[in-house]
Amino acid sequence: MSRVFRLEPSAPERDQAKGGIVAGYLSPHPPHLIYADNPPQNEPRSTGGWEVLRWAYDEVRRRVRAMKPDVLVVHAPHWITMVGHHVNCVPHPRGLSVEPIFPNLFRYHYDFRTDVELAEALVTSFENHGLVARAMREEGVRVDYATIGALHMVNPKWDIPVVSISANNNPYFYAEAELGQMEVLGRATRKAIEQTGRRAVLLASNSLSHLHFDRETPVPEDMSHEHPYNNSQYRADMALLETVRTKPSSALKTAIPEHIAQTEAETKSGSLTWLLSALDWPATTGDVLGYGTIIGTGNAVIEWRCHD
């Protein structure tokens, strides 16, 4: 499967353009979205579904291409590491990723380029900020579906280099207790991006409420069966999104832990907190581009733009 990749800019070119984070997106990864999109990389075929979320991603794609970033940096909750924060430093990951719960929906052939210079700089920056960090350099290690899901939905052409960061497993046990460490991870990410002069778009691969149905419908994309898991999960999602829409992102320092306490939230993996910290908790509101449920889980596509 052929790909066209952007050439690395020369040092003078990089000096002329201001590096840094240009935008960040909450980019949920349910495999159903790729299944519904029917890309050539995914083996299963569908008749569509979950259109509102997929249309939101269409708008993200348009905006990201207009920004012309050098790199997409993703933090994904399903690349779980037991000790510390790992960064994929493999130059050319390629292989087949199968979603373990929904292999009937997601068997994806991936083939992309890593920005190795930035990946190595992230490992160093994490360590300099007092975090346990490791560089993953083992060729052939399978890339998880949450990483692929966010990256594909934002850039299905795969023509922008990427860097992926793991989710330390502690947050899955201790809920919001580890979000402070994710703030440090975000600051360290921003530092490495600025030092390398990259123009970066960040992706937090999180759903919101994450209770889901335990029975699949005969036709997975039959939207007549799609609805929130229950009203309390939905209302908690709406309360969080109202804060996103109406208040500066600093208000989410309180709202995210409250949402975690009220729901079975995937944000406890820390991706959203990492994203907002890397953006330095912008004083602007977030732009909610779409919300929808997938097997009962709440998913929102949201942009926070950095202004020069």
Side-chain angles (χ1 to χ4, degrees):
M1 194 174 297
S2 62
R3 293 285 182 273
V4 176
F5 297 105
R6 184 175 303 166
L7 293 175
E8 187 71 18
S10 66
E13 289 173 332
R14 197 176 295 158
D15 290 340
Q16 291 172 6
K18 182 180 178 182
I21 300 168
V22 294
Y25 292 91
L26 180 60
S27 308
H29 61 260
H32 304 66
L33 295 177
I34 287 180
Y35 168 69
D37 254 5
N38 285 318
Q41 300 99 320
N42 198 40
E43 293 176 4
R45 300 289 92 186
S46 80
T47 58
W50 303 280
E51 278 77 11
V52 172
L53 281 167
R54 293 195 293 120
W55 292 338
Y57 269 119
D58 284 343
E59 177 60 16
V60 173
R61 294 169 184 176
R62 185 190 68 79
R63 295 184 185 191
V64 168
R65 298 212 74 81
M67 296 174 201
K68 299 180 179 179
D70 300 315
V71 63
L72 303 177
V73 182
V74 60
H75 185 278
H78 293 297
W79 179 14
I80 298 173
T81 49
M82 296 300 295
V83 178
H85 308 274
H86 294 209
V87 182
N88 190 344
C89 296
V90 177
H92 187 184
R94 50 190 162 181
L96 174 65
S97 183
V98 179
E99 209 281 357
I101 300 175
F102 294 102
N104 58 319
L105 306 184
F106 190 95
R107 299 190 301 276
Y108 189 99
H109 296 265
Y110 59 89
D111 182 347
F112 61 90
R113 296 286 182 179
T114 298
D115 184 336
V116 177
E117 181 185 353
L118 176 59
E120 297 281 2
L122 284 167
V123 175
T124 299
S125 184
F126 294 169
E127 292 175 336
N128 289 343
H129 282 76
L131 300 171
V132 176
R134 295 290 186 273
M136 188 185 76
R137 301 189 180 93
E138 292 76 14
E139 296 283 350
V141 174
R142 190 174 69 183
V143 179
D144 66 286
Y145 77 92
T147 296
I148 293 170
L151 289 168
H152 172 91
M153 294 306 296
V154 170
N155 181 40
K157 294 183 178 181
W158 292 93
D159 57 349
I160 303 171
V162 310
V163 177
S164 59
I165 304 170
S166 77
N168 182 265
N169 204 38
N170 284 336
Y172 284 94
F173 293 107
Y174 301 119
E176 73 274 11
E178 293 295 315
L179 292 184
Q181 186 174 133
M182 300 309 297
E183 289 204 46
V184 177
L185 190 75
R187 293 194 294 270
T189 298
R190 181 172 69 250
K191 185 71 171 178
I193 289 169
E194 291 173 349
Q195 287 178 336
T196 54
R198 299 298 197 268
R199 284 175 50 82
V201 168
L202 270 52
L203 310 178
S205 181
N206 270 167
S207 295
L208 297 181
S209 62
H210 209 244
L211 286 177
H212 52 77
F213 309 136
D214 61 3
R215 297 291 184 274
E216 190 173 31
T217 59
V219 179
E221 60 266 39
D222 182 352
M223 291 295 97
S224 68
H225 294 275
E226 187 60 83
H227 57 83
Y229 184 86
N230 60 35
N231 185 54
S232 64
Q233 300 284 302
Y234 175 75
R235 296 316 316 171
D237 282 352
M238 292 303 103
L240 182 69
L241 292 178
E242 188 64 16
T243 301
V244 169
R245 294 175 61 249
T246 62
K247 296 182 180 180
S249 68
S250 59
L252 293 169
K253 291 184 179 183
T254 300
I256 291 172
E258 289 176 348
H259 181 262
I260 290 171
Q262 294 165 5
T263 67
E264 185 59 38
E266 196 173 41
T267 52
K268 68 183 178 182
S269 71
S271 300
L272 180 55
T273 300
W274 161 81
L275 171 71
L276 293 170
S277 174
L279 295 172
D280 200 18
W281 298 95
T284 57
T285 58
D287 187 1
V288 180
L289 301 175
Y291 174 88
T293 61
I294 298 178
I295 59 169
T297 67
N299 298 269
V301 178
I302 307 172
E303 178 192 72
W304 285 271
R305 184 73 67 94
C306 297
H307 300 282
D308 294 333

